[in-house]
Structure formats: structure tokens, C-alpha cells
Amino acid sequence: MSYIQENYRKIKDNLPSNVQLIAVSKTKTNEDILKVYQIGHRVFGESKAQEMVPKYEALPKDIYWHMIGHLQTNKVKYIAPFVRLIHSVDSFKLLKTINKEAKKNNRVIDCLIQMHIAEEESKYGFDIEELNHVLCTPEFGQLDNICIRGLMGMATFTDNIQQIRKEFRSLKTHFDNIHRNFFADQDTFNIVSMGMSDDYFVAIEEGSNMIRVGSSIFGQR
Ligand SMILES: *Cc1c(COP(=O)(O)O)cnc(C)c1O
């Protein structure tokens, strides 16, 4: 086995069975992606549309591609035919664009709402007041070509585990509240996407069921 395959196995074999692993392959080559594919993995995350599209075209068609990075509305059309889950829905405008492009492709696209949970100003995402407002607008109810599957968040880039834990805990609390208040009758609202290479242990302890891991599998970027 190559070191990438060994890294993958070590992580995958120690995950609780309810936690899905997304292999974050941004900046990595098709050759590296195929190493993980060859030992059975099918779900990969990319953060740029212009990188995801050529990889989709070149690689096996049974790969599920997840968009995890900030997505500009004018790029949605390039990934709408095939993307499996968009983690990074950070505005109502983007959600409406995804709905429109999904409709053109005769699809329903699964989406996660990205929440701003970190202390840093720079991270994208909704705050809870904004999200409550959007979910209450009649226009939201008319988006028939998207399916909101849950929430995604990124913790502050810090060594302070207590702070990271607190931020993940707040995302899980938001998930539970939004679930209860808006999606109580929809069992498809069931994804909490939080945790990366350095913090996924904490994220899982705080209720994550989808982790996005790049450098611990593929090496540093
Ligand atoms: C790059 C990236 C990851 C993976 O980060 P690693 O630290 O390499 O595991 C996860 N989520 C998002 C949104 C990213 O952009």
C-alpha cells in the first residue's frame, strides 16, 4: 500500500459507523485520487468548481463529488449536472441559483447550509438569525430543486481545543433547533458536516456525522 492508502485506512478504520468520511482532494492529482478510489473510496471533496469539473471528466463516473468551498453563483452551472452535495451554501442568492441550475438539469441537488461558527471574520456562512429568516420566507418553500440535508461549519483556526469544541457544539445545537423548527417531518435533514484533519476527533465527539479530511490522507498541500 502507498502512504496515501495507509493514511486513508488508518482514519477510515477508526471511524464510528455513523460518520461519513469525505476525502478532500483539492490541489491533489488524479493519480493521488485514484489511489484512494482503488481501495474502495467514492466520495471526494473539492473547493473550486474549475478544479472539480476536469477531475469529474477524467475520473470514474461512480465518484460522488462534494463541493466544500465558497461557490460563486456564476460557477454553479458548471457543477450542477453532476455534483452530489454542496456543503457551502452561504447565501440565499446562491441557494436560489442552485435551484435554478438544478431545474435546468432536471435534478434535485442536495445542499448543506454553511453556518458561521468561527470567531474569525473571514469565514463564510449564515448566522442563525439570517438562517431563521430565510427559512421563513415563502420564496424558500418554492425551491423544489434543492434538498436541504443539514448544516456545515468550520471552527476557528486555533490550537485552543476548548474553543473549537465550543464552536462545534454551537453548530450541533443550531442543527437540532433548525431540525425541530423547520424540518421535523423530513428525515433527509440529517447531516452535520464538521471536522477536518486537525479537529475531526473533537467534531465527532460533538455530534458530527460527516468529516472533511484532506491533508491527513493526501499529505500537506
Ligand atoms: C481544505 C478543506 C478541508 C480539509 O482540510 P484539511 O485540514 O486538509 O483536512 C475541509 N473543509 C473545507 C471547507 C476545506 O476547504
Side-chain angles (χ1 to χ4, degrees), residues 115-116 126-137 174 178 182:
M115 301 287 298
H116 184 278
F126 285 88
D127 58 41
I128 190 65
E129 291 78 19
E130 264 181 303
L131 180 57
N132 276 307
H133 176 73
V134 164
L135 296 176
C136 286
T137 60
H174 292 321
I178 297 287
F182 297 98

Side-chain angles (χ1 to χ4, degrees), residues 115-129:
M115 301 287 298
H116 184 278
I117 54 170
E119 230 168 44
E120 299 137 325
E121 285 289 330
S122 62
K123 297 268 160 73
Y124 294 103
F126 285 88
D127 58 41
I128 190 65
E129 291 78 19

Side-chain angles (χ1 to χ4, degrees), residues 24 26 68 152 154 196-197 212-215 221:
V24 174
K26 63 188 184 199
I68 61 168
M152 180 274 236
M154 287 168 85
M196 316 187 354
S197 289
R212 311 176 308 271
V213 178
S215 45
R221 286 180 296 273

Side-chain angles (χ1 to χ4, degrees), residues 80-94:
F82 66 89
V83 68
R84 189 73 179 195
L85 178 65
I86 300 176
H87 292 233
S88 43
V89 177
D90 55 9
S91 73
F92 193 27
K93 182 181 168 216
L94 177 60

Side-chain angles (χ1 to χ4, degrees), residues 92-156:
F92 193 27
K93 182 181 168 216
L94 177 60
L95 192 62
K96 287 186 279 191
T97 304
I98 295 167
N99 185 71
K100 189 180 77 185
E101 296 298 333
K103 195 176 183 122
K104 283 188 197 163
N105 285 278
N106 208 5
R107 302 184 65 207
V108 173
I109 296 182
D110 282 353
C111 293
L112 304 178
I113 301 293
Q114 183 172 354
M115 301 287 298
H116 184 278
I117 54 170
E119 230 168 44
E120 299 137 325
E121 285 289 330
S122 62
K123 297 268 160 73
Y124 294 103
F126 285 88
D127 58 41
I128 190 65
E129 291 78 19
E130 264 181 303
L131 180 57
N132 276 307
H133 176 73
V134 164
L135 296 176
C136 286
T137 60
E139 211 184 346
F140 174 76
Q142 292 160 8
L143 303 178
D144 291 331
N145 292 78
I146 49 111
C147 178
I148 305 291
R149 298 293 313 274
L151 303 183
M152 180 274 236
M154 287 168 85
T156 302

Side-chain angles (χ1 to χ4, degrees), residues 166-189:
K166 194 182 75 186
E167 292 171 358
F168 285 150
R169 192 168 291 177
S170 79
L171 185 67
K172 178 59 164 57
T173 301
H174 292 321
F175 172 86
D176 291 337
N177 290 334
I178 297 287
H179 189 202
R180 190 176 56 245
N181 295 336
F182 297 98
F183 298 95
D185 58 345
Q186 292 173 39
D187 48 15
T188 49
F189 189 88

